[in-house]
Amino acid sequence: MHDGSGLIAVQNLTKQFGPVTAVQNLSFTVSPGSVTGFLGPNGAGKTTTLRMLLGLVKPTGGTATINGRPFHQLGQPGRVVGAVLEAQGFHPARSARNHLRVYAAAIGVPDAQADQVMGLVGLGSAADRKVGGFSLGMKQRLALATALLGDPQVLVLDEPANGLDPEGIAWLRTFLQSYARMGRTVLISSHLLAEVEQTVDQVVIISRGQTMFYGPLDQLRQSQQRRVLVQPSDINALANALRTAGVQVIEQLPDGRLAVSGVDSRQVADIALQAGVSVYGIQEETVDLERLFFQLTSGQYAGYAPAQQNPYQQQGGWA
Amino acid sequence: MGNLVGAELRKTTTTGLWWGLLIPTAVLALGWGLATGLLGQFFVDFASSGDVDEVSDFLGVTPDQWKVSLFGMARAINISTIFPMVFGAMAISSEISRRTITTTFLTAPSRMHALLAKMLVYVLWGAIYGLAIMAFVSIGVVITSDAGQLPDAGGWAMLTLVCVLSSILMTMLGVGVGALIPNVAGAVVLLLLYFLVIENVLHGVLAYLEVPAVIGFLPNGSINGLTGAVAVDLFLSSAGVVPTEIEDVLRAIAGAAGAQDWWLSGIVFLAWAGVVFAGGWAVTQSKDIT
Ligand SMILES: Nc1ncnc2c1ncn2[C@@H]1O[C@H](COP(=O)(O)OP(=O)(O)O)[C@@H](O)[C@H]1O
Ligand SMILES: [Mg+2]
């Protein structure tokens, strides 16, 4: 049987669909107690990876385990791992309550559990309606309710925010965080970092089936580069003074400003004062996480952004 | 396993498909039952008219005592069990089409557990359909037949047994085909084409080639044999000594040309259902659910 650790381990996972390499030599682990974001652009291989983890797709190579075991060795999988894979797996003529009762029976939990999870996801009032009439957001909620039926230790969600209203997304965020705080494991995929930025503690970023970054979100934040945009009275004088002060990365922008990296705005202002250069405007700019994410994963399908919108390229230090 | 059987049973009772297919089944069975009695009456009247006395001499009883309803009942069962077969065919194919198979596999210890639980539940449904078919065929026959043409108590029991068996077996074959061809329309159309057209053509060809015994080993031939052989046996048991040629004609009338004994026919068909299910299981086992 499984070890009850709540650990997800993906090792050298590879999946080939004919000529298409969906996932290539992917490795990462997910620990209990935190929400881990599984990020990558469309077609990066997120869904394929999660389906391999859940025993729905057979890997071409490598292993994916939950609690130290491949999915089909979990015994009663519904009590170990709950999954939201798509908001489609419903019979349109079955009511929400009956849908949940079917799977409550399969997992071996009492019918009362069906009503409980429906209340939890806010579907209580729609319990006896046929799922065929549900909105996408309601189906997402029902999918989450299904995943929660067996009170699982591990929760895996593939783009659960799709179709959810802002209220639903906020609710999901709080819910997942409190679920993780109970010592459970939560893995949630998204193609938008911003969507999960406030929810996740850890991130696994993949692109073209390969891991690009894997670690705490804070570490990713700290690696962001800041730069100071300054409009001096004399560009050359300030640039020389900055170089003398040991600042290496100075760039002149098309609008006549200088972009200075590696120092904060106060230092730049002080150096300008000493050099007798007036400062007409000064501003600190941070590269936001989303742009960092874009840079980490760019090049698969998205064209490169035009130069003005993406004024400087940064090399991510990960491979 | 008990949990999964419970879940599969709930799946079948929480949509309207079971009664949506049961209604036409009942109507068809009743219609055939009624027609059987009328046709039998017509035949007996004709045979009693005097020109065909020789036949009644063969059979050793007067035509009004021939249990001709047996043949119509066998055929009514054969045609009506198409519906439980279609019901079975949708068991797995509709789950794959509707993508509910994902959750089904996520909540089962293994795919094999899930498929076996489904098969057990559909065996139960096959039996329910079988009982319904027998009930409606019987009502029809009793309304339109003279008492002399109806089977005795043992005959009714035997026919009920093979009707339920036949319905279960047809359902099982349907489940297997639905697993093999994970497309609802594809599985249903193939089954209907095969049972209503393809194999009938094959039967003609085999009869023409003078190897009718092969028919009894084909799927439709063997399932017809299960009911047809019982009908012929029951008919003959109430008649005298019958020459082989006449017996062959009777088998053809019962829709069981070239058939083996009823139990052997059942085993042959069970083997077909088993082979198809094993194929469907192999396909489902290795399938990527994406
Ligand atoms: N069943 C399949 N057959 C062929 N190619 C597939 C299949 N499923 C996914 N792919 C391909 O694998 C790649 C990864 O897809 P997917 O895992 O769905 O990415 P994501 O979920 O990150 O958007 C894509 O190029 C996709 O076209
Ligand atoms: Mg996806």
Side-chain angles (χ1 to χ4, degrees):
Chain A
M1 264 307 128
H2 59 91
D3 60 16
S5 61
L7 216 63
I8 294 175
V10 168
Q11 202 155 30
N12 304 117
L13 202 60
T14 299
K15 180 63 188 184
Q16 199 91 35
F17 287 113
V20 180
T21 306
V23 174
Q24 196 179 350
N25 209 23
L26 201 63
S27 300
F28 63 89
T29 56
V30 179
S31 310
S34 65
V35 181
T36 300
F38 187 41
L39 304 166
N42 292 327
K46 303 180 296 294
T47 300
T48 306
T49 303
L50 298 182
R51 285 186 175 264
M52 285 194 277
L53 178 66
L54 295 164
L56 296 167
V57 168
K58 192 167 284 168
T60 310
T63 56
T65 59
I66 297 170
N67 286 1
R69 292 279 173 179
F71 185 86
H72 62 91
Q73 289 179 15
L74 288 176
Q76 288 282 357
R79 289 171 178 273
V80 179
V81 54
V84 176
L85 287 179
E86 59 201 331
Q88 291 177 354
F90 308 107
H91 192 297
R94 205 172 272 139
S95 71
R97 174 178 278 126
N98 281 335
H99 163 84
L100 289 169
R101 285 192 174 176
V102 163
Y103 293 106
I107 298 170
V109 295
D111 285 351
Q113 185 77 5
D115 290 321
Q116 209 210 314
V117 291
M118 249 183 315
L120 198 59
V121 302
L123 278 181
S125 58
D128 292 314
R129 279 170 53 189
K130 291 189 170 162
V131 181
F134 277 21
S135 70
L136 182 58
M138 290 167 85
K139 286 181 182 167
Q140 283 286 17
R141 287 169 192 259
L142 184 56
L144 180 61
T146 314
L148 294 172
L149 269 176
D151 194 21
Q153 187 184 9
V154 177
L155 207 49
V156 174
L157 306 100
D158 193 13
E159 312 245 4
N162 279 356
L164 278 189
D165 48 27
E167 190 194 346
I169 291 177
W171 172 83
L172 184 67
R173 177 172 298 153
T174 322
F175 177 81
L176 294 180
Q177 281 169 339
S178 62
Y179 206 78
R181 235 175 275 126
M182 291 191 291
R184 321 231 184 169
T185 311
V186 180
L187 180 61
I188 170 177
S189 87
S190 176
H191 61 281
L192 292 171
L193 177 59
E195 192 175 77
V196 296
E197 194 182 331
Q198 290 154 294
T199 315
V200 304
D201 316 298
Q202 305 274 327
V203 285
V204 178
I205 298 179
I206 66 167
S207 178
R208 274 161 277 164
Q210 292 173 296
T211 317
M212 306 305 287
F213 176 83
Y214 155 42
L217 186 60
D218 282 340
Q219 189 183 320
L220 189 65
R221 281 210 183 90
Q222 279 156 18
S223 70
Q224 299 175 89
Q225 287 192 9
R226 292 157 183 277
R227 54 182 197 169
V228 177
L229 304 180
V230 56
Q231 179 136 46
S233 56
D234 183 340
I235 287 181
N236 288 328
L238 180 61
N240 285 334
L242 285 165
R243 268 191 211 100
T244 315
V247 179
Q248 298 301 327
V249 188
I250 306 166
E251 194 185 344
Q252 184 168 357
L253 301 182
D255 63 5
R257 290 189 295 173
L258 281 183
V260 187
S261 302
V263 282
D264 64 19
S265 54
R266 226 169 100 178
Q267 286 169 285
V268 173
D270 285 347
I271 291 168
L273 184 64
Q274 281 162 19
V277 177
S278 301
V279 170
Y280 301 144
I282 191 161
Q283 168 189 10
E284 265 187 31
E285 184 203 59
T286 57
V287 182
D288 61 9
L289 271 179
E290 199 58 44
R291 184 179 289 176
L292 203 58
F293 174 59
F294 176 78
Q295 285 164 355
L296 281 172
T297 60
S298 68
Q300 183 164 17
Y301 299 119
Y304 286 97
Q308 286 103 314
Q309 285 170 29
N310 191 10
Y312 72 110
Q313 290 288 326
Q314 179 198 328
Q315 292 302 310
W318 311 280
Chain B
M1 199 69 197
N3 289 344
L4 292 182
V5 171
E8 291 300 332
L9 196 58
R10 283 183 174 186
K11 271 182 206 166
T12 56
T13 55
T14 50
T15 70
L17 184 64
W18 70 270
W19 59 261
L21 281 174
L22 194 56
I23 289 173
T25 312
V27 169
L28 187 67
L30 183 66
W32 268 86
L34 291 168
T36 292
L38 293 175
L39 272 174
Q41 203 58 54
F42 175 78
F43 176 76
V44 168
D45 289 347
F46 170 74
S48 309
S49 66
D51 300 336
V52 281
D53 273 352
E54 311 87 64
V55 180
S56 63
D57 289 346
F58 274 137
L59 297 177
V61 282
T62 54
D64 63 334
Q65 290 304 307
W66 294 352
K67 308 219 174 292
V68 287
S69 64
L70 288 164
F71 300 109
M73 290 171 79
R75 291 205 161 232
I77 292 167
N78 291 344
I79 194 78
S80 303
T81 48
I82 294 274
F83 282 100
M85 178 180 71
V86 167
F87 186 61
M90 295 175 75
I92 292 169
S93 60
S94 82
E95 277 226 53
I96 293 174
S97 308
R98 296 192 193 284
R99 311 182 68 78
T100 53
I101 197 79
T102 299
T103 314
T104 297
F105 285 165
L106 286 177
T107 51
S110 75
R111 294 186 185 187
M112 187 166 68
H113 281 85
L115 293 191
L116 281 180
K118 208 177 265 295
M119 186 54 113
L120 280 177
V121 166
Y122 277 80
V123 163
L124 176 68
W125 275 109
I128 292 170
Y129 269 85
L131 286 171
I133 289 168
M134 191 61 203
F136 281 94
V137 168
S138 305
I139 292 171
V141 163
V142 167
I143 290 174
T144 50
S145 285
D146 276 354
Q149 287 135 36
L150 294 173
D152 56 15
W156 283 113
M158 195 62 202
L159 274 176
T160 306
L161 174 73
V162 289
C163 178
V164 170
L165 273 182
S166 171
S167 181
I168 289 174
L169 288 168
M170 288 285 270
T171 311
M172 291 173 75
L173 185 82
V175 172
V177 171
L180 206 53
I181 302 167
N183 173 299
V184 177
V188 170
V189 167
L190 178 88
L191 281 169
L192 291 181
L193 263 183
Y194 185 82
F195 274 84
L196 298 177
V197 182
I198 297 174
E199 207 184 293
N200 286 326
V201 173
L202 267 179
H203 289 184
V205 172
L206 289 168
Y208 175 77
L209 295 176
E210 295 181 354
V211 281
V214 179
I215 294 171
F217 289 94
L218 295 176
N220 200 15
S222 56
I223 199 71
N224 288 350
L226 176 59
T227 43
V230 164
V232 173
D233 289 352
L234 288 172
F235 181 89
L236 293 179
S237 70
S238 66
V241 182
V242 176
T244 332
E245 309 89 74
I246 299 283
E247 210 180 305
D248 286 345
V249 172
L250 292 176
R251 284 190 193 283
I253 296 172
Q260 306 297 310
D261 283 344
W262 68 272
W263 56 272
L264 187 56
S265 296
I267 290 174
V268 168
F269 190 85
L270 182 65
W272 280 109
V275 166
V276 172
F277 184 66
W281 175 72
V283 167
T284 312
Q285 187 64 28
S286 60
K287 188 189 221 41
D288 280 342
I289 312 290
T290 59

